[in-house]
Amino acid sequence: MKLTSEQKALLEQLRSIVGAPYVLTHEDPATDLTAWELDWRGRERGRALAVVRPGNTQEVAAVVKACAAARVAMVPQGGNTGMVVGSTPDESGTQVVLSLTRMNKVRQLDAGNLTITVDAGCVLQNLQDECEKAGFLFPLSLASEGSCTIGGNLGTNAGGTQVVRYGNTRELCLGLEVVTAQGEIWDGLLGLRKDNTGYDLRHLFIGSEGTLGVITGATMKIYPLPKAQLTALAAVPSMEAAVQLLGLAHEHLSAGLTGFEVMGQFALSLVAKHFPQQRVPFWQESPWCVVLENSDNESEAHARQQFERLLEAAMEAGCVTDAVVAESMAQAKALWHIRESIPLAQAQEGLNIKHDISINVSRIPAFVAETNALLLEKFPGARLVTYGHLGDGNLHYNVQAPEGDDQKRFLAEEEGPMNALVYEVVDRYRGSISAEHGIGSLKVDKLPDHKSPVALGLMRGIKQALDPLNLMNPGRMIRG
Ligand code: FAD
Ligand code: 2HG
Ligand code: ZN
């Protein structure tokens, strides 16, 4: 693809801003841009005009100004682990990927204020580790934490496995630094727990998937490290039983309940099949299993006693048939690892159709029973991979092609009708078609069918006000 003289001039300008080694293009055929152009699920490969890797906020602002002046669209990118094809460029070869991964510094940990201020490109795991070294907990936790960045977590308002206690990324954020679509820097890194001075702009940028501006820094809440963190795996006879167990866990553990994840039998069978080195308890005899975590500020003995009481009550009520409580940190990690391996096991099994949905927790059993019946009637042989953050009412209601079926055909022909079926039930249950992964380009055309025209109108108004030239991740989340 030949570059225009305007594109060549812009690339020169970008090189002068961030330094030539940090502007990657296809001009040199030896440069491999796959890591920035291919989405994590391998669904779509775009083509970038350039991947630009600024080293600080001023450089981001200068890059945005230059691109805006040249009317070139920008795609903010962190770890590129997003699930909805929102962080990679389109196929036009005209978009600039703005990769934040060089901006990876911890700026300040304020122990008194219980906050940490970081560059947006900080990898989530590094942020967790920094906090732990200083005796604090940063509770956001996702299986992609080794590569995703705090900017991407904020951009998607990521959820993960600790939301039941600490909330989504939004709830953890006390301030943002943002480069606007015009290239101005907004310093909102106040770290205040109270500030009612007008619209809370921070909340517009959180979850905006790079469509309103570029998040360059963030002030996040941290917590004292709990004295003990215990993990249990429980076999449960039905989804009704899992919801009953959740109620008991809230009652017995109160704010100590920091994780509650459900996993269906087929999901666990995929982990056992693709990761045979992992020991997966109960999956052969139980239709569902639940991972529970109890974080305690008193002592391990106290946490264990609370867990035992909970599990006794649950067994008495018939909502748990068997359970194991981890005896060591290593065992706890192994139990979590089973849960976290499900997306990877699914990917190993082949192409799949994902539904990241949320429903009021109390209605989840009815939702699952109804959707399973409708889906299997219309798509006989489809394999249901149901698991997720039951404590938040968020299921990954995923579907694997029938055994032996042509997976590419399955995805091409069945994804649309299957999405339509599942989302129709989600709407009837007044749920959401995207609980935590966002909209990206994967669901951008579906959103209007599931969101009220009033809400869509307000969203368009916000987009128009903040990015009137439609240069920030255009075509993602919302169309003009
Ligand atoms: P990217 O994928 O690079 O970008 C995601 C979106 O954010 C894009 O729209 C992008 O334009 C925008 N963006 C990125 N950086 C910025 C920035 N600095 N400023 C403005 N916008 C920006 N998600 C969950 O919510 N919960 C889970 O439990 C979970 N588990 C996962 C497990 C696996 C194995 C994988 C692969 C993914 C999982 N995800 C999960 C999805 C993904 O990891 C999250 O969406 C994560 O927050 C994305 O972070 P990232 O840095 O990779 O962002
Ligand atoms: C998880 O909870 C992630 O493991 C990924 O959100 C879900 O792959 C998926 O569908
Ligand atoms: Zn999830």
Side-chain angles (χ1 to χ4, degrees):
M1 214 180 272
K2 243 175 126 22
L3 298 182
T4 64
S5 54
E6 287 84 1
Q7 287 172 328
K8 283 185 187 158
L10 175 65
L11 293 179
E12 270 321 298
Q13 207 184 344
L14 297 176
R15 286 188 180 104
S16 73
I17 297 167
V18 299
Y22 301 117
V23 179
L24 312 174
T25 70
H26 288 286
E27 288 163 301
D28 172 5
T31 308
D32 182 7
L33 298 186
T34 309
W36 295 274
E37 291 181 335
L38 182 68
D39 79 292
W40 188 86
R41 291 172 66 190
R43 288 186 64 121
E44 282 176 39
R45 168 96 203 223
R47 186 179 169 90
L49 171 63
V51 173
V52 182
R53 305 185 61 214
N56 58 49
T57 303
Q58 284 67 31
E59 286 184 8
V60 175
V63 167
V64 171
K65 268 197 182 128
C67 290
R71 302 293 191 263
V72 164
M74 292 152 270
V75 183
Q77 190 184 89
N80 195 18
T81 67
M83 288 271 168
V84 289
V85 196
S87 49
T88 45
D90 68 12
E91 288 165 3
S92 65
T94 62
Q95 301 188 326
V96 164
V97 173
L98 234 167
S99 168
L100 277 287
T101 52
R102 280 181 68 220
M103 292 179 57
N104 57 11
K105 290 189 190 52
V106 171
R107 299 189 190 176
Q108 190 199 15
L109 190 151
D110 184 341
N113 198 42
L114 286 174
T115 50
I116 187 164
T117 300
V118 294
D119 284 353
C122 253
V123 169
L124 174 57
Q125 196 166 52
N126 296 345
L127 173 50
Q128 294 165 345
D129 291 347
E130 284 300 316
C131 290
E132 196 174 332
K133 266 191 255 159
F136 294 98
L137 171 78
F138 182 63
L140 185 66
S141 180
L142 329 176
S144 54
E145 62 204 19
S147 351
C148 68
T149 62
I150 193 69
N153 302 148
L154 286 157
T156 55
N157 184 27
T161 55
Q162 303 274 298
V163 173
V164 69
R165 162 73 176 87
Y166 299 101
N168 291 312
T169 312
R170 183 187 299 286
E171 273 85 29
L172 294 169
C173 180
L174 287 179
L176 285 185
E177 179 188 81
V178 172
V179 169
T180 68
Q182 295 70 38
E184 287 170 330
I185 299 172
W186 169 53
D187 175 2
L189 294 173
L190 300 177
L192 299 174
R193 281 176 166 76
K194 290 187 152 186
D195 176 17
N196 284 348
T197 52
Y199 302 128
D200 197 330
L201 301 174
R202 163 186 47 160
H203 288 306
L204 283 182
F205 291 102
I206 299 174
S208 67
E209 301 183 34
T211 63
L212 299 179
V214 188
I215 297 168
T216 50
T219 298
M220 307 300 293
K221 288 183 195 167
I222 55 176
Y223 295 80
L225 273 175
K227 291 258 180 350
Q229 247 175 344
L230 283 190
T231 306
L233 185 76
V236 297
S238 63
M239 190 56 103
E240 283 83 357
V243 171
Q244 198 186 350
L245 175 61
L246 176 63
L248 287 172
H250 278 304
E251 200 181 305
H252 282 256
L253 308 179
S254 189
L257 178 65
T258 45
F260 194 97
E261 298 283 314
V262 75
M263 301 171 289
Q265 190 166 35
F266 182 61
L268 287 174
S269 81
L270 291 181
V271 177
K273 174 176 170 187
H274 293 288
F275 302 106
Q277 71 281 14
Q278 290 193 41
R279 207 181 74 76
V280 184
F282 309 138
W283 77 267
Q284 271 147 321
E285 56 269 11
S286 183
W288 300 95
C289 283
V290 168
V291 180
L292 304 100
E293 187 183 74
N294 182 20
S295 299
D296 192 81
N297 287 330
E298 219 174 289
S299 66
E300 178 159 345
H302 183 251
R304 203 169 282 280
Q305 195 186 45
Q306 276 188 318
F307 241 175
E308 278 161 11
R309 284 199 189 132
L310 163 64
L311 292 171
E312 259 169 44
M315 282 188 178
E316 221 162 85
C319 60
V320 166
T321 51
D322 208 346
V324 55
V325 180
E327 291 294 331
S328 62
M329 197 49 118
Q331 277 182 15
K333 279 204 172 131
L335 292 180
W336 272 115
H337 195 47
I338 295 169
R339 159 64 185 90
E340 283 165 359
S341 300
I342 298 175
L344 300 168
Q346 258 209 278
Q348 300 247 336
E349 183 72 7
L351 297 170
N352 57 78
I353 299 175
K354 293 188 189 296
H355 304 101
D356 164 36
I357 56 111
S358 62
I359 305 281
N360 287 354
V361 174
S362 50
R363 306 188 74 199
I364 285 212
F367 168 84
V368 170
E370 184 172 345
T371 319
N372 283 1
L374 288 171
L375 200 132
L376 290 173
E377 191 191 337
K378 191 144 184 222
F379 305 93
R383 295 175 297 161
L384 305 176
V385 188
T386 308
Y387 67 100
H389 319 289
L390 183 61
D392 322 323
N394 173 193
L395 286 184
H396 297 304
Y397 187 84
N398 296 344
V399 187
Q400 211 82 34
E403 191 92 57
D405 197 359
D406 175 341
Q407 298 179 12
K408 284 212 170 103
R409 183 213 63 82
F410 174 72
L411 204 60
E413 291 175 19
E414 317 287 25
E415 187 172 36
M418 198 175 282
N419 286 166
L421 184 152
V422 174
Y423 295 154
E424 186 276 322
V425 192
V426 169
D427 282 347
R428 270 197 285 116
Y429 280 73
R430 290 178 63 79
S432 165
I433 64 159
S434 178
E436 59 172 6
H437 294 160
I439 299 296
S441 50
L442 201 62
K443 297 185 189 170
V444 67
D445 293 323
K446 298 194 174 72
L447 193 64
D449 297 333
H450 303 281
K451 197 122 187 137
S452 85
V454 176
L456 283 170
L458 291 170
M459 282 171 63
R460 281 197 195 99
I462 292 166
K463 172 75 174 166
Q464 174 65 24
L466 271 70
D467 179 24
L469 298 175
N470 193 21
L471 295 177
M472 298 307 308
N473 218 357
R476 271 68 197 275
M477 199 172 85
I478 185 142
R479 291 204 199 277

